[in-house]
Amino acid sequence: MAEVTLRNVSKVFDGGKPAVKNVNIDILDKEFVVLVGPSGCGKSTTLRMIAGLEEITEGDIFIDGKKVNDISPKDRDIAMVFQNYALYPHMTVFENMAFGLKLRKFPKQEIKTRVTDAAKILGLEEFLNRKPKALSGGQRQRVALGRAIVRKPKVFLFDEPLSNLDAKLRVQMRTEISKLHHSLEATMIYVTHDQTEAMTMGDKIVILKDGVVNQIDSPLQLYNFPSNKFVAGFIGSPSMNFIEGKILSEKGINFKSNKGSLMLKLSSEYEKKLSGYLNKDIWLGIRPEDIYDSATTQIRPTFNQIEVNLEVVEPMGNEIFLYFPLDNIQFTARIPAREKPDQGTRRQLFFDTGKLHFFDPQSEIAL
Ligand code: ATP
């Protein structure tokens, strides 16, 4: 059992502005929770407060219901894996993995069993006698993972552990950590700035911005029901398209962008939802995959046809990204890779008005 609870946790570094503001997170036993957000949003500081490496300015942190504010890191029963591996260069892989257990005066045989078991899980058996400099980046990161696993901690904390690896290895290690989570049945808290990592690994994702929690939800909930414009733009790649305009009522309900390049007829279901925004400013958002190419699409009643100028066409192999301007804002559509449209040509696209997102212009909260 290992639940981690943050209650009204804040952190102010000496004389500075708050790095973490009034954060509340409930992490359940065996859950994989990802803290994600742009650089400087307070992810690492939050993780370091859970680890006990950073003092809490205000609020409380509980591990399994026990308040740990004043408990030293080594007594919190947690293990942390860092971006830079932090391996001892003069020790072999075995010695690096065994080091923490030796310090805690575990019997020799127990250390051997735990290290060999972890090496087996991580595919490191043949490297146990090597020094870190004779390992690849991915292998070093595995040793850092092994060092955490042998401790059998209640909670694993990861601080951007894959940032130093190349893109292919990152994807591979990502799946290995997910498998590890499954087989160890441990509570894991994982910090990253990479929304793909967050979406693919997390049972639950905490989105931070400027030290404030913006939304806590499952990956699909975040994707389909972002609570505000920031979350909507942060989750998803390529990002959601945004354009400002007004809601008008002429033969039903319509959206018209400020410079008039985008006019959408909205279905009656929006009438109630947007009734307070008639003739008022509003942000519209639509994901690139909700804009379709007329050549590859069966028309549905919710579709609005728009003619656009394809400024850039990017074939990705399995799909194609189309870039085109509306009101001088660059929009992106992702379409299936059947036939590649020519760059610089005009194209009919459909906006799926069943998939629109709207945001208040001031608060940027989703409507
Ligand atoms: P990154 O992805 O760049 O690592 P992060 O989301 O992990 O960013 P933190 O490292 O938690 O962000 O930092 C949050 C804020 O606190 C930043 O504005 C940072 O400059 C500040 N900060 C972090 N550590 C300290 C420190 N030791 N002293 C003063 N300010 C700090």
Side-chain angles (χ1 to χ4, degrees), residues 178-197:
S178 288
K179 278 194 235 161
L180 207 58
H181 172 241
H182 211 72
S183 60
L184 297 177
E185 297 196 323
T187 306
M188 295 187 170
I189 310 174
Y190 189 103
V191 159
T192 180
H193 63 271
D194 178 344
Q195 60 92 26
T196 312
E197 249 170 59

Side-chain angles (χ1 to χ4, degrees), residues 13 19 38-46 160 193:
F13 288 103
S39 184
C41 71
K43 321 177 277 291
S44 297
T45 304
T46 305
E160 306 241 12
H193 63 271

Side-chain angles (χ1 to χ4, degrees), residues 42-238:
K43 321 177 277 291
S44 297
T45 304
T46 305
L47 196 75
R48 290 170 61 80
M49 285 192 284
I50 298 171
L53 300 172
E54 208 71 76
E55 259 186 47
I56 304 165
T57 309
E58 251 179 73
D60 296 311
I61 295 180
F62 301 88
I63 298 180
D64 271 348
K66 187 172 156 197
K67 189 163 143 182
V68 295
N69 294 33
D70 300 319
I71 293 181
S72 74
K74 69 176 176 31
D75 296 324
R76 290 190 186 194
D77 206 358
I78 47 165
M80 190 148 167
V81 180
F82 298 93
Q83 175 179 346
N84 60 6
Y85 323 131
L87 301 180
Y88 296 106
H90 59 286
M91 291 184 192
T92 63
V93 167
F94 184 98
E95 288 162 347
N96 262 291
M97 281 162 71
F99 187 69
L101 301 179
K102 254 190 187 163
L103 274 187
R104 287 175 173 77
K105 308 232 177 322
F106 274 66
K108 259 198 168 138
Q109 190 51 45
E110 175 69 15
I111 294 179
K112 193 165 176 219
T113 311
R114 287 197 186 195
V115 172
T116 337
D117 285 352
K120 214 179 278 172
I121 294 173
L122 296 164
L124 286 172
E125 288 155 298
E126 58 184 297
F127 306 111
L128 284 172
N129 293 320
R130 283 206 200 163
K131 300 264 174 67
K133 70 172 184 313
L135 298 175
S136 70
Q139 289 159 347
R140 281 180 213 171
Q141 190 51 275
R142 273 195 202 112
V143 179
L145 278 174
R147 205 172 36 186
I149 291 174
V150 294
R151 300 249 320 272
K152 298 189 179 169
K154 274 188 187 165
V155 184
F156 285 83
L157 305 178
F158 298 92
D159 194 355
E160 306 241 12
L162 309 184
S163 305
N164 285 347
L165 306 179
D166 66 46
K168 198 169 166 201
L169 202 52
R170 247 191 350 245
V171 173
Q172 190 188 333
M173 286 300 289
R174 193 166 89 194
T175 55
E176 284 187 24
I177 293 177
S178 288
K179 278 194 235 161
L180 207 58
H181 172 241
H182 211 72
S183 60
L184 297 177
E185 297 196 323
T187 306
M188 295 187 170
I189 310 174
Y190 189 103
V191 159
T192 180
H193 63 271
D194 178 344
Q195 60 92 26
T196 312
E197 249 170 59
M199 289 293 280
T200 51
M201 299 175 90
D203 296 319
K204 195 151 87 184
I205 301 176
V206 179
I207 306 227
L208 285 159
K209 185 189 173 214
D210 300 333
V212 176
V213 172
N214 274 232
Q215 190 168 355
I216 303 180
D217 247 318
S218 68
L220 280 185
Q221 277 293 115
L222 280 176
Y223 194 80
N224 293 323
F225 305 103
S227 63
N228 61 31
K229 186 167 169 267
F230 170 74
V231 174
F234 190 77
I235 293 289
S237 176

